[in-house]
Amino acid sequence: MSGERTEPYFHGHYDGLFSIFSQKPDGGRADGVQGFDHQTASHVLSPSDRLHGSPMDYLLLARGFDASSSQPDDDVVVGSGSGKNAPAGAGDGKTLVTPNFSTSSSVTELVGEEDSGPCKTDQQKQEEEEEKQAEGGEEGREEFKKANNPRRKKKGEKREREPRFAFMTRSEVDHLEDGYRWRKYGQKAVKSSPYPRSYYRCTAQSCDVKKRVERSHQDPTVVITTYEGHHTHHSPVNVWGGAHLSSPSPVIPTNVRHDLLLQQAFPAGYTNPNVHLPRPPPPDYGLLQDIVTSFAHSSQR
DNA sequence: CGACTTTGACCTGCGC
DNA sequence: GCGCAGGTCAAAGTCG
């Protein structure tokens, strides 16, 4: 990306994700999120970030990209200026403020740019391994297992990275209800953070979406959620009760009233040709709050 | 009994 | 090469 843009923008369909998070007690240094994806993530937290009145200061999201989109991995940078190269901690006016919400759209797409699927040579290698395995015994099977494990690449191969979205929520619960069912498959202590990081996978068959959940150790009320991959199915649970289920979902639940949240994420009068909002509804904080609370409610099982 | 969580071990990538 | 940290596996445990 050109990297020069300093205002929030979208590229393509608004295949981004918004995070709306509130003030950090210490005044909000963006680099306070330890353990968050150091490789690529960036956050913007403004000292003025503040959210009042809501039981759970949620930030959320938006529509991701259509799973069938021909350009699923368009660069998306929201709010944090120059994306993964943006200096963390830049409370430099990119923060978006609304009357009721202070939103800092630090949604970050964390993309391994060069990964776009296995190359043919890899496939050939895999086939070879398969043949080997067919001939070999137990050992061969073990080898085969390793070689074919999509999560464990052979040496020298770059690990493939799905597009990733990270966002922060202010929540008491770690695992936010987002309409999908997740199975926890791991938990790790994070260096420099007293809070562990949890790893979840979508339980749907043939859906390999993962998410990581961790708390900011600087502000324990902030939960950092990182999604990786695209859902290949509809959300089994309609958290928001809306009629928004449409296409196979991106990472972010499609049933979220992203349009409203999007609205929240931009200051009044903000326009950007790259942003395609369905139809800008008038700010309706009451409605938003309804959404937020219902979301919060459903998160606390 | 199936679905899910917990947790120690293992693997991989990366910096020194 | 080594050590560290992140990420994943898989067996065992828990729960409804």
Side-chain angles (χ1 to χ4, degrees):
Chain A
M1 71 192 82
S2 55
E4 253 53 308
R5 305 178 76 146
T6 56
E7 59 179 352
Y9 73 98
F10 286 103
H11 184 101
H13 341 277
Y14 49 98
D15 33 358
L17 165 72
F18 288 85
S19 57
I20 302 165
F21 45 85
S22 50
Q23 176 209 10
K24 293 164 59 63
D26 64 353
R29 270 172 48 94
D31 55 359
V33 187
Q34 301 281 347
F36 186 51
D37 199 305
H38 312 294
Q39 301 167 353
T40 50
S42 63
H43 302 280
V44 177
L45 274 174
S46 159
S48 63
D49 283 348
R50 192 180 296 274
L51 185 147
H52 299 292
S54 170
M56 198 141 73
D57 309 350
Y58 262 111
L59 43 94
L60 267 182
L61 59 122
R63 160 103 71 189
F65 27 81
D66 189 337
S68 61
S69 165
S70 56
Q71 291 184 297
D73 295 338
D74 274 353
D75 289 346
V76 176
V77 175
V78 182
S80 50
S82 45
K84 65 179 181 180
N85 294 323
D92 54 4
K94 294 170 194 133
T95 302
L96 303 164
V97 180
T98 63
N100 206 17
F101 265 105
S102 260
T103 68
S104 178
S105 55
S106 78
V107 173
T108 310
E109 188 189 30
L110 312 164
V111 184
E113 296 89 347
E114 61 272 85
D115 7 293
S116 47
C119 60
K120 283 187 179 177
T121 53
D122 285 347
Q123 287 178 347
Q124 286 167 352
K125 282 179 193 170
Q126 264 189 12
E127 283 167 17
E128 283 173 22
E129 292 286 346
E130 236 166 293
E131 282 173 23
K132 267 190 200 170
Q133 192 264 344
E135 295 163 8
E138 286 296 315
E139 285 179 26
R141 186 170 304 162
E142 276 300 307
E143 293 293 317
F144 177 73
K145 228 176 165 181
K146 289 179 185 176
N148 274 281
N149 189 334
R151 296 176 186 98
R152 295 207 169 155
K153 304 295 267 183
K154 281 182 269 183
K155 272 193 174 176
E157 289 180 31
K158 271 261 177 181
R159 204 179 129 93
E160 284 176 34
R161 283 264 174 223
E162 294 285 335
R164 291 190 283 176
F165 292 93
F167 61 99
M168 303 164 79
T169 61
R170 185 166 287 244
S171 167
E172 292 169 16
V173 295
D174 286 349
H175 192 191
L176 307 175
E177 190 65 58
D178 60 6
Y180 291 88
R181 301 188 67 193
W182 301 91
R183 171 172 304 184
K184 189 174 186 176
Y185 67 90
Q187 177 171 308
K188 271 295 255 193
V190 179
K191 180 143 196 314
S192 75
S193 172
Y195 305 99
R197 175 181 298 158
S198 297
Y199 299 89
Y200 298 88
R201 238 197 295 275
C202 184
T203 59
Q205 284 184 347
S206 75
C207 181
D208 202 29
V209 175
K210 284 175 275 190
K211 82 174 177 183
R212 290 183 305 207
V213 178
E214 66 186 283
R215 278 190 185 278
S216 163
H217 86 279
Q218 297 250 326
D219 184 354
T221 64
V222 171
V223 176
I224 302 156
T225 306
T226 305
Y227 289 91
E228 181 172 340
H230 302 169
H231 287 290
T232 58
H233 56 99
H234 294 296
S235 164
V237 180
N238 192 344
V239 175
W240 299 73
H244 256 61
L245 291 176
S246 52
S247 57
S249 164
V251 166
I252 303 308
T254 53
N255 47 355
V256 168
R257 290 297 305 270
H258 58 272
D259 46 350
L260 290 170
L261 293 162
L262 283 167
Q263 197 59 19
Q264 291 295 322
F266 286 95
Y270 176 80
T271 57
N272 187 315
N274 292 317
V275 179
H276 308 291
L277 296 176
R279 187 194 312 148
D284 184 341
Y285 304 110
L287 181 52
L288 177 66
Q289 184 153 348
D290 286 346
I291 293 168
V292 169
T293 51
S294 80
F295 188 82
H297 187 72
S298 62
S299 300
Q300 294 167 341
R301 344 179 211 180

